Amino acid sequence: MKPKPDGHNDRELRVKRITNGTVIDHITAGQALNVLRILGIMDRLEEVVSVVMNVSDRKKDIVKIEGRELKPEEVDKIALISPDATINIIRDYEVVEKHRVILPSRIEGVVRCINPNCITNTDEPVKPKFVISRGERVELHCMYCGRVIADRIADFLI
Ligand code: CTP
Ligand code: ZN
């Protein structure tokens, strides 16, 4: 079957283009629902959202939100769970802005430590801080106890 210019073919049911809003593309496969969590979609049930999972041979997920542009802190959290994602701003059907999320080298106060005995999980007023490294996956290294969070980062977002 001859692919169409945008990579789709006739067998696929395409999620339609949006008029105005944001398309989060190239989400790490399997992370779309965590992206929805970060965006608080369940608290904003009036929004029109489409989710496409396992696009292009299960390599990526896509989330489209009509009528909303994301806050920088939302984009920063998406970077942690999906470092190759792109944020596309759509106006009048056109992509007017496209940028890749940026994975910082350190974060503070965004993720809590996995170690229940870490000082950041006690009553001490110490904010959790992590150094971030990226090989095959993103790893967060706690600057206080040294524990590493790599899987299920979304579960530790504050
Ligand atoms: N998109 C959309 N509605 C629009 C315009 C674009 O849903 N009105 C979606 C496209 O389906 C795509 C993403 O936004 O998933 C980015 O669009 P575009 O830049 O046109 O696609 P590509 O060139 O394939 O993007 P990239 O090179 O970043 O993979
Ligand atoms: Zn720790």
Side-chain angles (χ1 to χ4, degrees):
M1 195 178 308
K2 207 169 135 236
K4 297 219 166 116
D6 61 358
H8 293 85
N9 61 42
D10 288 329
R11 273 202 205 159
E12 285 180 86
L13 176 62
R14 205 180 320 166
V15 173
K16 69 176 194 217
R17 295 189 158 245
I18 64 172
T19 324
N20 287 293
T22 304
V23 175
I24 309 160
D25 200 350
H26 302 280
I27 297 171
T28 305
Q31 294 296 326
L33 297 179
N34 286 327
V35 169
L36 297 184
R37 266 212 268 174
I38 289 168
L39 300 177
I41 296 295
M42 296 312 284
D43 306 326
R44 309 168 66 135
L45 293 174
E46 73 288 356
E47 273 182 333
V48 179
V49 177
S50 356
V51 180
V52 203
M53 294 197 266
N54 293 325
V55 188
S56 312
D57 290 330
R58 310 190 159 216
K59 287 207 196 64
K60 68 166 182 177
D61 294 349
I62 305 174
V63 170
K64 304 186 182 194
I65 308 162
E66 301 263 4
R68 169 151 55 131
E69 296 188 5
L70 308 190
K71 296 190 196 120
E73 54 274 26
E74 293 171 325
V75 176
D76 291 347
K77 288 181 178 178
I78 291 170
L80 295 177
I81 60 160
S82 193
D84 297 320
T86 57
I87 310 291
N88 298 269
I89 313 276
I90 315 293
R91 293 201 190 114
D92 259 339
Y93 283 105
E94 297 291 325
V95 178
V96 295
E97 247 181 71
K98 179 193 292 281
H99 57 90
R100 212 164 133 168
V101 298
I102 298 166
L103 190 64
S105 52
R106 283 166 187 239
I107 47 167
E108 185 177 329
V110 181
V111 171
R112 65 192 158 72
C113 187
I114 194 170
N115 171 7
N117 299 320
C118 180
I119 187 164
T120 62
N121 283 323
T122 64
D123 290 338
E124 299 296 326
V126 183
K127 270 197 194 167
K129 285 187 203 168
F130 295 87
V131 172
I132 301 180
S133 67
R134 180 175 184 199
E136 240 168 72
R137 54 185 193 169
V138 174
E139 292 186 346
L140 308 182
H141 302 252
C142 177
M143 290 175 70
Y144 293 98
C145 74
R147 283 284 286 271
V148 176
I149 310 178
D151 302 314
R152 301 190 300 119
I153 290 175
D155 292 346
F156 297 94
L157 287 168
I158 292 169

